[in-house]
Amino acid sequence: MIRRNFLKASSIAGIALTATLAPSCIASGPDKKDDDKDEDDQEKPDTFELNEITIGALQDKMKAGTHTARSIAELYLKRIAEIDKKGPKLNAIIELNSDALSIADALDKERKDGKVRGPMHGIPVLIKDNINTGDKMMTTAGALALVGNHAAKDAFIIKQLRAAGAVILGKTNLSEWANFRSTRSTSAWSSRGGQTKMPYILDHNPSGSSSGTGAGVAANLCTVGIGTETDGSVVSPSSVSGLVGIKPTVGLLSRSGIIPISKTQDTAGPMARTVTDAALLLSALVGDDMEDPATLDVTIKGPSSNYAIFLDANSLKGKRVGLEKSFLKGANQDVVATMQKAIDAIKTLGATVVEIELIKQLKDVDKAEFLVLVYEFKDGLNKYLASSTTKIKNIKDVIDFNKANEAKAMPYFKQEILDLAITKGDLNSKEYLDALTISQGVTRKVIDTLMKENNLDAICGATNGLACCIDLANGDYDTGFSFSSPAAMAGYPHITVPMGAVHGLPIGFSFFGQPYTEGKLIGLAYAFEQATKHRKKPEFKKDLLG
């Protein structure tokens, strides 16, 4: 969850907010001498053998015998040691999987015996540390309070991932508790994992809460990764790290075994460097799960789903796309100009662009969203913690642990949201039900009406603003654009794809639409991607000055 979406809303619950000015990132002075740099900071050409490689290219290498699942995994593990733990020190990985190479060996044996499970066979994946793995790794949501929590079994999507033949390299850092602990938090920081950096410009924030996954995939620490989103936590870090991120319809992917915020908005989602790879990963994760009834609502999902069939470079031809018109007058004119080029590209590809007003119609709906999330967070987290392998069995235990370990657990910001959540009742409370009617009900009605009246295939706009600076003293600040909330509140699918960069900071372009239209959105994003090719690998600059 990205914090800036509900800052104003949280004031209705009596949480005091501190107004701060957007700080400037600390820049190294122009007179700084090269010999002042540490050895690890010396600039070196990034010649990593697997830079920007795709799932398809890796399959070709394994088929030809020039690489194996083990050799590929070893290359990524070496890359993590050199880039994540040394050099730029991205700090994207919170824990490595000690079984990764043995898993790769078993998959290589299968291939040698003539069995290839599919596109994900032998492909290294990083996953967010709020997703259960029934192995030696912990699942902590980045919280010191949950250190020692070893899940009894895999989350359903991890079971699907293993069945598809993926190699789980490790778990990624995140904004602690998926950024639902404090109203003045800093994205990409957790008490267990520390601060993750943005790989393009290191003193900027990679956004959250799936920050480690975003930074890891962008920096070529893996082939693809998995994040989770409640409101913005897949699409925002994807946008600022030049990635493709898919936030599916709530219910397309199972949530069982994932540390929750919201039963009405939570979903996992793929993060990748190309639309093709994101589609292949999404296909591997879908399936009906009896432990998550939301996955049983429709019959169009299942293990045989193949989103790669929607990868058509002509997908925008003849489509009608609604553009959020308020973005055309955004405060950051560089972002507006970049978005205008994206719109021109869409038109050139044969789409009709219709200006619409969506955000204006959803004014103040975020207040209801915040209430919904607070209630659902308490309910879902208490249920998850009750079966944890730590002494932390409910949200009160988390609060008490943080207070008792304040210097380590809360050195920069506190836990106002946890303190509020514990005061709320159950999900039969009138306040909760009324808020849900507004947050989910009104948002769905507005989106559905706009799309029907304008005969739209999708709605589009800038995914969010440019990455903000890392500022642990003040927390995150608004950078002018945010387009995650409508699809998040409605539970509708949303895909972001690179649309360019401003001052070396990547920014994404969003398409979202009605439930279970992932295939259509993937097609639109693929057509845009193939025509524009905006994805560029990071250069790990220290600051905007280079």
Side-chain angles (χ1 to χ4, degrees):
M1 171 119 190
I2 52 173
R3 185 182 64 91
R4 64 177 67 96
N5 282 348
F6 60 89
L7 276 178
K8 294 180 181 178
S10 59
S11 64
I12 66 172
I15 297 176
L17 304 179
T18 303
T20 60
L21 294 175
S24 297
C25 295
I26 298 174
S28 56
D31 58 344
K32 183 178 176 62
K33 298 179 181 179
D34 288 342
D35 55 9
D36 289 336
K37 298 179 181 179
D38 294 334
E39 182 178 350
D40 284 341
D41 292 332
Q42 295 287 349
E43 293 183 9
K44 300 175 183 178
D46 185 3
T47 58
F48 179 50
E49 180 180 346
L50 302 183
N51 261 337
E52 301 297 287
I53 202 163
T54 63
I55 290 172
L58 286 175
Q59 290 298 343
D60 289 343
K61 289 179 180 295
M62 287 187 281
K63 183 178 180 180
T66 58
H67 272 295
T68 62
R70 183 185 181 94
S71 70
I72 292 167
E74 287 176 334
L75 283 170
Y76 279 121
L77 290 171
K78 182 180 179 183
R79 171 77 165 181
I80 289 169
E82 293 175 348
I83 298 297
D84 197 61
K85 306 308 176 187
K86 298 178 182 178
K89 298 181 181 177
L90 294 177
N91 200 36
I93 314 302
I94 204 168
E95 185 172 1
L96 287 172
N97 183 7
S98 60
D99 296 325
L101 295 181
S102 62
I103 293 170
D105 286 340
L107 291 166
D108 283 332
K109 185 177 185 305
E110 286 187 12
R111 186 181 292 271
K112 185 177 181 180
D113 293 341
K115 178 182 178 181
V116 177
R117 302 187 189 192
M120 292 300 299
H121 190 109
I123 301 299
V125 182
L126 288 171
I127 65 171
K128 188 176 179 180
D129 180 41
N130 61 346
I131 304 173
N132 283 352
T133 54
D135 52 23
K136 298 170 186 174
M137 292 187 289
M138 294 183 285
T139 305
T140 69
L144 284 177
L146 287 194
V147 168
N149 181 43
H150 291 274
K153 64 179 183 178
D154 286 337
F156 182 85
I157 60 168
I158 299 304
K159 179 182 176 182
Q160 296 290 91
L161 190 65
R162 292 190 199 274
V167 177
I168 299 175
L169 282 182
K171 292 193 172 183
T172 56
N173 195 28
L174 67 156
S175 311
E176 186 171 327
W177 295 115
N179 224 354
F180 208 64
R181 196 189 89 183
S182 171
T183 56
R184 51 175 296 273
S185 62
T186 299
S187 291
W189 182 90
S190 74
S191 57
R192 180 189 175 202
Q195 180 68 47
T196 299
K197 301 174 186 176
M198 201 270 276
Y200 289 83
I201 300 180
L202 298 172
D203 64 357
H204 278 63
N205 196 300
S207 190
S209 63
S210 303
S211 43
T213 303
V217 176
N220 290 278
L221 305 184
C222 60
T223 313
V224 290
I226 301 175
T228 66
E229 173 162 328
T230 304
D231 187 335
S233 289
V234 165
V235 296
S236 181
S238 295
S239 173
V240 303
S241 281
L243 299 177
V244 176
I246 301 176
K247 195 286 289 188
T249 306
V250 172
L252 183 68
L253 301 185
S254 168
R255 286 85 54 81
S256 65
I258 301 177
I259 297 177
I261 290 180
S262 165
K263 71 172 189 175
T264 56
Q265 293 186 200
D266 284 353
T267 180
M271 300 169 72
R273 293 182 293 271
T274 68
V275 176
T276 299
D277 282 0
L280 292 173
L281 179 54
L282 180 65
S283 300
L285 300 178
V286 298
D288 297 339
D289 178 15
M290 297 301 295
E291 294 185 28
D292 185 355
T295 65
L296 308 177
D297 285 348
V298 294
T299 59
I300 62 172
K301 311 185 306 301
S304 61
S305 295
N306 178 14
Y307 288 98
I309 64 174
F310 297 99
L311 299 170
D312 181 355
N314 295 311
S315 293
L316 276 162
K317 187 175 182 179
K319 298 298 192 297
R320 290 176 60 84
V321 181
L323 169 68
E324 172 55 45
K325 66 186 297 182
S326 67
F327 288 170
L328 297 173
K329 297 180 180 179
N332 189 324
Q333 290 305 303
D334 292 327
V335 175
V336 173
T338 304
M339 185 176 66
Q340 188 61 61
K341 290 179 182 178
I343 296 164
D344 292 342
I346 289 171
K347 291 178 179 178
T348 299
L349 291 167
T352 299
V353 177
V354 181
E355 291 185 13
I356 60 170
E357 289 186 310
L358 172 60
I359 293 177
K360 184 178 180 180
Q361 295 186 60
L362 296 178
K363 185 180 180 181
D364 296 331
V365 173
D366 56 352
K367 296 178 180 178
E369 179 194 22
F370 181 71
L371 275 176
V372 167
L373 300 187
V374 169
Y375 272 94
E376 293 183 348
F377 182 52
K378 176 187 176 183
D379 177 76
L381 188 58
N382 279 343
K383 290 175 180 175
Y384 178 90
L385 293 175
S387 60
S388 73
T389 58
T390 71
K391 295 180 180 179
I392 305 298
K393 298 301 180 184
N394 53 54
I395 197 168
K396 183 179 183 303
D397 289 346
V398 175
I399 292 171
D400 291 344
F401 176 92
N402 288 343
K403 288 180 178 177
N405 298 274
E406 187 165 359
K408 293 182 178 180
M410 301 190 294
Y412 304 112
F413 49 87
K414 305 308 177 187
Q415 54 183 352
E416 308 94 284
I417 295 175
L418 298 180
D419 290 334
L420 175 63
I422 201 171
T423 69
K424 296 299 182 181
D426 60 29
L427 300 189
N428 293 313
S429 302
K430 184 177 184 302
E431 183 182 45
Y432 164 74
L433 295 173
D434 288 347
L436 182 61
T437 298
I438 296 171
S439 176
Q440 186 183 80
V442 170
T443 303
R444 287 180 175 179
K445 183 177 180 180
V446 169
I447 293 174
D448 293 348
T449 299
L450 270 175
M451 295 193 70
K452 182 178 180 180
E453 290 180 347
N454 293 281
N455 191 25
L456 301 177
D457 293 285
I459 293 173
C460 69
T463 304
N464 56 357
L466 302 174
C468 65
C469 301
I470 295 173
D471 185 2
L472 287 164
N474 293 301
D476 294 344
Y477 56 90
D478 193 351
T479 56
F481 291 82
S482 182
F483 210 27
S484 63
S485 290
M489 290 186 287
Y492 288 0
H494 182 173
I495 185 168
T496 181
V497 61
M499 75 168 182
V502 175
H503 303 304
L505 296 167
I507 188 166
F509 192 76
S510 286
F511 296 94
F512 67 86
Q514 293 181 301
Y516 303 107
T517 58
E518 281 82 1
K520 178 186 286 188
L521 298 178
I522 285 169
L524 301 182
Y526 180 75
F528 179 80
E529 172 197 57
Q530 293 302 298
T532 58
K533 300 286 187 180
H534 285 305
R535 163 71 193 173
K536 297 184 185 303
K537 70 181 181 70
E539 297 181 5
F540 309 107
K541 294 182 178 180
K542 281 191 171 184
D543 49 56
L544 282 172
L545 299 177

